[in-house]
mmCIF file of all heavy atoms in Angstrom:
data_model
loop_
_atom_site.group_PDB
_atom_site.id
_atom_site.type_symbol
_atom_site.label_atom_id
_atom_site.label_comp_id
_atom_site.label_asym_id
_atom_site.label_seq_id
_atom_site.Cartn_x
_atom_site.Cartn_y
_atom_site.Cartn_z
ATOM 1 N N LEU V 251 6.405 -10.135 -6.557
ATOM 2 C CA LEU V 251 5.628 -11.213 -7.120
ATOM 3 C C LEU V 251 6.498 -12.525 -7.149
ATOM 4 O O LEU V 251 5.983 -13.610 -6.902
ATOM 5 C CB LEU V 251 5.165 -10.899 -8.424
ATOM 6 C CG LEU V 251 3.988 -9.946 -8.518
ATOM 7 C CD1 LEU V 251 3.722 -9.443 -9.922
ATOM 8 C CD2 LEU V 251 2.689 -10.419 -7.899
ATOM 9 N N ARG V 252 7.816 -12.372 -7.432
ATOM 10 C CA ARG V 252 8.628 -13.453 -7.494
ATOM 11 C C ARG V 252 8.771 -14.142 -6.103
ATOM 12 O O ARG V 252 8.714 -15.387 -5.918
ATOM 13 C CB ARG V 252 10.108 -13.083 -8.029
ATOM 14 C CG ARG V 252 10.936 -14.211 -8.376
ATOM 15 C CD ARG V 252 12.157 -13.751 -9.023
ATOM 16 N NE ARG V 252 13.163 -14.843 -9.427
ATOM 17 C CZ ARG V 252 14.214 -14.607 -10.117
ATOM 18 N NH1 ARG V 252 14.592 -13.410 -10.504
ATOM 19 N NH2 ARG V 252 15.033 -15.619 -10.382
ATOM 20 N N SER V 253 8.978 -13.278 -5.102
ATOM 21 C CA SER V 253 9.102 -13.814 -3.717
ATOM 22 C C SER V 253 7.786 -14.398 -3.196
ATOM 23 O O SER V 253 7.723 -15.443 -2.571
ATOM 24 C CB SER V 253 9.442 -12.675 -2.686
ATOM 25 O OG SER V 253 10.750 -12.191 -2.988
ATOM 26 N N ALA V 254 6.632 -13.757 -3.745
ATOM 27 C CA ALA V 254 5.318 -14.227 -3.353
ATOM 28 C C ALA V 254 5.083 -15.649 -3.943
ATOM 29 O O ALA V 254 4.490 -16.540 -3.228
ATOM 30 C CB ALA V 254 4.296 -13.334 -3.823
ATOM 31 N N ASP V 255 5.460 -15.893 -5.112
ATOM 32 C CA ASP V 255 5.380 -17.240 -5.810
ATOM 33 C C ASP V 255 6.142 -18.187 -4.976
ATOM 34 O O ASP V 255 5.606 -19.344 -4.673
ATOM 35 C CB ASP V 255 5.803 -17.180 -7.226
ATOM 36 C CG ASP V 255 5.665 -18.439 -7.973
ATOM 37 O OD1 ASP V 255 4.704 -19.175 -7.608
ATOM 38 O OD2 ASP V 255 6.514 -18.750 -8.729
ATOM 39 N N ALA V 256 7.413 -17.855 -4.720
ATOM 40 C CA ALA V 256 8.195 -18.819 -3.896
ATOM 41 C C ALA V 256 7.767 -19.189 -2.617
ATOM 42 O O ALA V 256 7.897 -20.268 -2.033
ATOM 43 C CB ALA V 256 9.681 -18.243 -3.811
ATOM 44 N N ALA V 257 7.020 -18.217 -1.904
ATOM 45 C CA ALA V 257 6.535 -18.439 -0.573
ATOM 46 C C ALA V 257 5.054 -19.033 -0.572
ATOM 47 O O ALA V 257 4.537 -19.320 0.461
ATOM 48 C CB ALA V 257 6.541 -17.074 0.163
ATOM 49 N N GLY V 258 4.519 -19.195 -1.729
ATOM 50 C CA GLY V 258 3.194 -19.838 -1.830
ATOM 51 C C GLY V 258 2.030 -18.938 -1.343
ATOM 52 O O GLY V 258 1.112 -19.323 -0.775
ATOM 53 N N VAL V 259 2.253 -17.651 -1.638
ATOM 54 C CA VAL V 259 1.227 -16.626 -1.298
ATOM 55 C C VAL V 259 -0.105 -16.856 -1.904
ATOM 56 O O VAL V 259 -0.262 -17.257 -3.136
ATOM 57 C CB VAL V 259 1.856 -15.197 -1.614
ATOM 58 C CG1 VAL V 259 0.710 -14.157 -1.708
ATOM 59 C CG2 VAL V 259 2.854 -14.881 -0.593
ATOM 60 N N THR V 260 -1.167 -16.627 -1.239
ATOM 61 C CA THR V 260 -2.518 -16.830 -1.761
ATOM 62 C C THR V 260 -2.850 -15.760 -2.768
ATOM 63 O O THR V 260 -3.371 -16.094 -3.926
ATOM 64 C CB THR V 260 -3.530 -16.696 -0.559
ATOM 65 O OG1 THR V 260 -3.197 -17.672 0.396
ATOM 66 C CG2 THR V 260 -4.942 -16.979 -1.139
ATOM 67 N N ALA V 261 -2.608 -14.536 -2.487
ATOM 68 C CA ALA V 261 -2.891 -13.391 -3.442
ATOM 69 C C ALA V 261 -1.959 -12.236 -3.007
ATOM 70 O O ALA V 261 -1.606 -12.050 -1.871
ATOM 71 C CB ALA V 261 -4.305 -13.081 -3.480
ATOM 72 N N VAL V 262 -1.751 -11.375 -4.007
ATOM 73 C CA VAL V 262 -1.034 -10.140 -3.829
ATOM 74 C C VAL V 262 -2.006 -8.992 -4.050
ATOM 75 O O VAL V 262 -2.720 -8.936 -5.163
ATOM 76 C CB VAL V 262 0.238 -9.872 -4.678
ATOM 77 C CG1 VAL V 262 0.785 -8.570 -4.510
ATOM 78 C CG2 VAL V 262 1.269 -10.927 -4.409
ATOM 79 N N VAL V 263 -2.259 -8.138 -3.064
ATOM 80 C CA VAL V 263 -3.242 -7.110 -3.236
ATOM 81 C C VAL V 263 -2.583 -5.758 -3.171
ATOM 82 O O VAL V 263 -1.681 -5.489 -2.377
ATOM 83 C CB VAL V 263 -4.250 -7.231 -2.032
ATOM 84 C CG1 VAL V 263 -5.283 -6.174 -2.112
ATOM 85 C CG2 VAL V 263 -5.002 -8.622 -2.041
ATOM 86 N N ALA V 264 -3.202 -4.800 -4.025
ATOM 87 C CA ALA V 264 -2.674 -3.478 -4.111
ATOM 88 C C ALA V 264 -3.759 -2.608 -4.478
ATOM 89 O O ALA V 264 -4.751 -2.908 -5.128
ATOM 90 C CB ALA V 264 -1.495 -3.348 -5.068
ATOM 91 N N PRO V 265 -3.676 -1.283 -4.126
ATOM 92 C CA PRO V 265 -4.668 -0.342 -4.513
ATOM 93 C C PRO V 265 -4.597 0.010 -6.053
ATOM 94 O O PRO V 265 -3.510 -0.098 -6.564
ATOM 95 C CB PRO V 265 -4.379 0.943 -3.702
ATOM 96 C CG PRO V 265 -2.974 0.787 -3.401
ATOM 97 C CD PRO V 265 -2.648 -0.633 -3.263
ATOM 98 N N LYS V 266 -5.737 0.440 -6.577
ATOM 99 C CA LYS V 266 -5.646 0.729 -7.983
ATOM 100 C C LYS V 266 -5.001 2.100 -8.239
ATOM 101 O O LYS V 266 -4.357 2.331 -9.297
ATOM 102 C CB LYS V 266 -7.186 0.864 -8.609
ATOM 103 C CG LYS V 266 -7.828 -0.460 -8.757
ATOM 104 C CD LYS V 266 -9.121 -0.416 -9.298
ATOM 105 C CE LYS V 266 -9.787 -1.770 -9.458
ATOM 106 N NZ LYS V 266 -11.086 -1.674 -10.032
ATOM 107 N N ASP V 267 -5.129 3.122 -7.280
ATOM 108 C CA ASP V 267 -4.597 4.390 -7.414
ATOM 109 C C ASP V 267 -3.205 4.435 -6.844
ATOM 110 O O ASP V 267 -2.931 3.781 -5.792
ATOM 111 C CB ASP V 267 -5.450 5.358 -6.731
ATOM 112 C CG ASP V 267 -6.822 5.498 -7.324
ATOM 113 O OD1 ASP V 267 -6.955 5.285 -8.537
ATOM 114 O OD2 ASP V 267 -7.774 5.922 -6.641
ATOM 115 N N ASN V 268 -2.366 5.243 -7.540
ATOM 116 C CA ASN V 268 -0.968 5.429 -7.034
ATOM 117 C C ASN V 268 -0.212 4.054 -6.710
ATOM 118 O O ASN V 268 0.449 3.978 -5.708
ATOM 119 C CB ASN V 268 -0.944 6.272 -5.695
ATOM 120 C CG ASN V 268 -1.558 7.649 -5.952
ATOM 121 O OD1 ASN V 268 -1.312 8.322 -6.891
ATOM 122 N ND2 ASN V 268 -2.476 7.968 -4.996
ATOM 123 N N SER V 269 -0.401 3.150 -7.713
ATOM 124 C CA SER V 269 0.257 1.880 -7.479
ATOM 125 C C SER V 269 0.435 1.287 -8.917
ATOM 126 O O SER V 269 -0.411 1.446 -9.837
ATOM 127 C CB SER V 269 -0.694 1.025 -6.779
ATOM 128 O OG SER V 269 -0.094 -0.358 -6.589
ATOM 129 N N VAL V 270 1.587 0.639 -9.164
ATOM 130 C CA VAL V 270 1.906 0.171 -10.426
ATOM 131 C C VAL V 270 1.072 -1.147 -10.633
ATOM 132 O O VAL V 270 0.821 -1.965 -9.773
ATOM 133 C CB VAL V 270 3.437 -0.128 -10.590
ATOM 134 C CG1 VAL V 270 3.871 -1.231 -9.753
ATOM 135 C CG2 VAL V 270 3.817 -0.407 -12.053
ATOM 136 N N GLY V 271 0.695 -1.333 -11.890
ATOM 137 C CA GLY V 271 -0.029 -2.593 -12.265
ATOM 138 C C GLY V 271 0.913 -3.525 -13.045
ATOM 139 O O GLY V 271 2.106 -3.247 -13.188
ATOM 140 N N LEU V 272 0.357 -4.601 -13.500
ATOM 141 C CA LEU V 272 1.175 -5.537 -14.265
ATOM 142 C C LEU V 272 1.521 -4.967 -15.675
ATOM 143 O O LEU V 272 0.611 -4.362 -16.366
ATOM 144 C CB LEU V 272 0.287 -6.866 -14.480
ATOM 145 C CG LEU V 272 0.063 -7.684 -13.226
ATOM 146 C CD1 LEU V 272 -0.739 -8.888 -13.613
ATOM 147 C CD2 LEU V 272 1.252 -7.993 -12.440
ATOM 148 N N GLY V 273 2.673 -5.168 -16.039
ATOM 149 C CA GLY V 273 3.145 -4.691 -17.401
ATOM 150 C C GLY V 273 4.480 -5.420 -17.826
ATOM 151 O O GLY V 273 4.826 -6.426 -17.103
ATOM 152 N N ALA V 274 4.989 -5.116 -18.923
ATOM 153 C CA ALA V 274 6.101 -5.860 -19.517
ATOM 154 C C ALA V 274 7.254 -5.997 -18.564
ATOM 155 O O ALA V 274 7.844 -7.029 -18.368
ATOM 156 C CB ALA V 274 6.565 -5.238 -20.839
ATOM 157 N N THR V 275 7.665 -4.866 -17.924
ATOM 158 C CA THR V 275 8.793 -4.885 -16.970
ATOM 159 C C THR V 275 8.552 -5.743 -15.797
ATOM 160 O O THR V 275 9.342 -6.440 -15.379
ATOM 161 C CB THR V 275 9.153 -3.413 -16.532
ATOM 162 O OG1 THR V 275 9.492 -2.637 -17.655
ATOM 163 C CG2 THR V 275 10.267 -3.459 -15.614
#
């Protein structure tokens, strides 16, 4: 996400299953 912000990414997409979501870490 940090690299995506720096590169001006439109969106980051990931599957709901078997994938980490947003959290404190």
